[in-house]
Amino acid sequence: MNERRCIVTGESADADGLIRFVAGPDGMVVPDLKRTLPGRGCWVTARRAMVDKAVSKKLFARALRRKVDVPDDLGALIDRLLVRQATGALSMARKAGALVSGAMQVDKAVRAGRATALLHALHAAPDGIRKLDQARRATVHLGGPDVPVFMLLDDEQMGLAFGGGNVIHAAVLDGRGGHAALRRLEALRDYRTGPDMRPASPDAGAGLLAGTAGGHVTAKETDQE
């Protein structure tokens, strides 16, 4: 019951690796990232390339079994939604004490083995990145964790996650809030590039979404697989 089939690849996967889509009351295709919107749904592998292919090949109407309108920038819209989720999760982690910023504090957290992820703003200076990477490698050499590195957010988005200020480097710390933030960062990274790959710079659609898509209506799944 937890597996769904991608309309692009035809392959089944766990719902966490897919994005659900529904048709809104106006016939517009809406991404349902929380998988709570009512009505018949269809699923696409959670990668930008797969979403773009579903749009270009006009697969949504067939999968949803009705005439639908599909935003030309659907792939970029999802990117904005994932950025919003990531910054929100980082903000919650900060309030829970599971996030630190500033090169010195980040360096300390890495060397102490407390960091579960490193964050650099997209336009971070190479020298600052190099210094923190040295701390990460030194920690691994001493038997500590090899923490993942994320370059997904611009300066404005990093500042938003931290409640303002110019934040260039940050570390996600171990703990419940940190783990939730890490999952959101991984989802955004995987959407843009796939897992275990260095994230590419987002396109112009990677900014924060000004509004929501569709709302949040809890309903029992009515998908027909």
Side-chain angles (χ1 to χ4, degrees):
M1 294 298 294
N2 291 328
E3 287 196 346
R4 301 292 187 268
R5 188 180 300 277
C6 172
I7 64 173
V8 177
T9 66
E11 297 177 356
S12 296
D14 187 90
D16 288 341
L18 301 165
I19 297 172
R20 183 176 185 262
F21 295 86
V22 299
D26 58 355
M28 185 67 68
V29 170
V30 176
D32 179 19
L33 297 186
K34 293 187 176 182
R35 305 192 289 272
T36 58
L37 296 180
R40 180 182 181 85
C42 65
W43 301 78
V44 177
T45 300
R47 304 288 182 267
R48 173 69 182 265
M50 294 295 102
V51 174
D52 289 344
K53 186 173 290 188
V55 174
S56 65
K57 291 185 175 293
K58 305 183 186 303
L59 300 180
F60 288 105
R62 182 173 63 185
L64 294 172
R65 299 182 183 176
R66 58 169 293 180
K67 182 179 179 180
V68 296
D69 294 316
V70 184
D72 293 335
D73 65 342
L74 183 60
L77 169 63
I78 294 170
D79 192 291
R80 295 195 295 269
L81 289 168
L82 292 173
V83 167
R84 183 176 179 179
Q85 286 188 340
T87 55
L90 288 170
S91 179
M92 294 296 292
R94 174 181 58 84
K95 294 174 182 177
L99 206 63
V100 296
S101 62
M104 184 176 296
Q105 293 301 318
V106 171
D107 187 282
K108 289 180 180 178
V110 171
R111 293 183 185 276
R114 298 173 56 227
T116 59
L118 277 179
L119 283 70
H120 303 300
L122 282 170
H123 301 103
D127 186 57
I129 295 173
R130 178 182 56 79
K131 290 178 179 177
L132 290 174
D133 195 51
Q134 288 175 346
R136 186 175 63 87
R137 291 199 305 269
T139 302
V140 173
H141 181 72
L142 295 174
D146 185 4
V147 299
V149 180
F150 297 90
M151 292 184 68
L152 300 168
L153 307 176
D154 62 26
D155 299 359
E156 180 180 352
Q157 292 159 354
M158 289 280 282
L160 181 64
F162 280 84
N166 184 29
V167 178
I168 305 300
H169 307 288
V172 179
L173 307 182
D174 195 15
R176 184 176 180 180
H179 293 164
L182 181 57
R183 287 195 298 272
R184 296 301 187 187
L185 291 168
E186 289 172 339
L188 177 58
R189 175 204 63 194
D190 293 352
Y191 178 72
R192 289 179 177 172
T193 65
D196 302 321
M197 295 175 65
R198 181 179 177 84
S201 296
D203 59 18
L208 291 176
L209 182 66
T212 58
H216 307 293
V217 182
T218 301
K220 183 179 179 180
E221 276 288 353
T222 57
D223 294 337
Q224 300 177 19
E225 304 302 332

